[in-house]
Amino acid sequence: MRTALYAVALLVALYATPSPSLAKTPFEEAAQLIEAGQIPEARRALAEELRIHPKHVEARYNLAVLLQQIGQKKEAAKLYEENLAIAWHLPSVINLTAILRQEGNTVQAKRWLKKATGKLRYEAAPWYLLASIAEAEGHMHDAEKNYRKAVTTDPLNGFAHLRLAGFQSRRQIDDKGIKEVDRAIDLLPDCAPCWRESGDILFAAGKLQAALKSYQHSLAIRPDAKTRQQLIHLLNSLGEHKRATRMQQALDTWKKYQHADSNL
């Protein structure tokens, strides 16, 4: 089963950074430090912000994200839970349930998401994350119901349409996800992974030329190895073997240099 795009948001973008000359609080200082790549110093600044302002949800969230990045999942989860005791903060719900699922605690993840559907009544994410769990557990009726609930809860959430499209494609139901993925692309025209997912769905549906355009559009927005590999696979399916071979050689060379750079 192909992994659904954006199944869980592991990290959500950190907040805008003020000009260095304007930084007055530890939170503002932390934002500058993150921008500069000084992560240990940023963690200390965020801890100081929380000492001064214990109910600062964004500061606690950013600290949790930084801890999650270095593998301190339990500490991060505790901070997300502390946030949710203060306010129903959607990014904290998403990241907390991601950690719980990674740790195999699906029951607790579902409890948090079910609470979130009541507390965050206009948000699609809790519904499509519940759907993802149901699908992984083989409960396809519940999965489809929750994917559709995500779309009706927030019809302007492109990721909700994308999740439903992926489900329809994997299950070969309705129009195999084509209508929903088109709607997602209308809502997220600059999302490169969304265009790649569009290509995957169209490819699976046998619409090869349309899939080719989607992959090319994704690469025009943000080139990446995964999309290039999918495009190579598609070109071979179209019989364009020479073009596919040239692209594979270029991709292999790029990967080789990337690996060499990572070992420096």
Side-chain angles (χ1 to χ4, degrees):
M1 181 182 292
R2 186 174 70 254
T3 301
L5 182 65
Y6 294 122
V8 175
L10 175 61
L11 301 176
V12 179
L14 298 172
Y15 295 84
T17 57
S19 166
S21 63
L22 298 179
K24 295 179 181 179
T25 69
F27 181 68
E28 293 170 336
E29 181 185 1
Q32 295 172 15
L33 291 167
I34 291 167
E35 183 73 13
Q38 297 175 266
I39 304 305
E41 293 83 356
R43 291 198 297 267
R44 287 193 288 271
L46 289 167
E48 176 63 14
E49 177 69 23
L50 290 172
R51 186 188 67 79
I52 301 168
H53 301 292
K55 294 188 177 182
H56 197 313
V57 170
E58 289 81 4
R60 183 175 286 99
Y61 172 77
N62 284 0
L63 179 57
V65 168
L66 296 181
L67 291 173
Q68 197 171 347
Q69 286 177 330
I70 61 172
Q72 295 187 19
K73 295 180 181 179
K74 289 185 179 179
E75 293 81 356
K78 181 180 178 182
L79 291 173
Y80 292 134
E81 289 192 22
E82 289 175 5
N83 259 3
L84 295 174
I86 297 169
W88 276 88
H89 182 241
L90 180 60
S92 293
V93 175
I94 292 172
N95 286 10
L96 173 59
T97 55
I99 291 173
L100 290 170
R101 290 186 69 181
Q102 289 165 3
E103 297 296 315
N105 196 345
T106 306
V107 172
Q108 190 66 10
K110 286 193 288 189
R111 285 175 183 161
W112 279 109
L113 290 169
K114 286 176 181 177
K115 288 181 183 178
T117 61
K119 298 290 186 178
L120 302 166
R121 293 189 300 150
Y122 304 107
E123 296 288 352
W127 287 109
Y128 63 64
L129 293 177
L130 278 170
S132 175
I133 293 173
E135 186 178 0
E137 293 178 336
H139 304 308
M140 298 306 163
H141 175 74
D142 289 340
E144 182 174 6
K145 181 179 68 174
N146 288 334
Y147 281 126
R148 292 190 182 279
K149 183 66 176 179
V151 168
T152 57
T153 296
D154 184 0
L156 298 181
N157 187 311
F159 295 112
H161 291 278
L162 200 64
R163 298 299 187 85
L164 176 56
F167 176 77
Q168 291 174 336
S169 177
R170 290 187 293 277
R171 302 299 297 170
Q172 295 288 290
I173 57 178
D174 294 340
D175 63 352
K176 302 177 183 179
I178 295 172
K179 179 180 176 182
E180 292 297 335
V181 80
D182 285 346
R183 179 60 174 150
I185 291 298
D186 285 343
L187 292 165
L188 300 165
D190 299 319
C191 172
C194 301
W195 280 100
R196 182 181 66 227
E197 181 76 0
S198 170
D200 290 347
I201 289 169
L202 291 165
F203 194 175
K207 297 184 177 295
L208 303 190
Q209 290 298 331
L212 178 65
K213 291 180 180 178
S214 287
Y215 288 139
Q216 289 173 330
H217 201 110
S218 177
L219 290 169
I221 297 170
R222 191 186 71 192
D224 72 88
K226 184 175 181 179
T227 306
R228 289 188 190 280
Q229 198 66 67
Q230 287 295 90
L231 179 55
I232 290 165
H233 181 36
L234 174 59
L235 290 172
N236 278 317
S237 297
L238 288 167
E240 297 189 37
H241 303 301
K242 289 184 179 179
R243 185 179 172 191
T245 298
R246 289 195 300 270
M247 186 172 286
Q248 185 68 64
Q249 289 170 342
L251 180 59
D252 290 342
T253 300
W254 179 84
K255 287 180 177 178
K256 178 181 176 181
Y257 282 110
Q258 287 291 106
H259 180 70
D261 288 344
S262 68
N263 290 330
L264 291 178

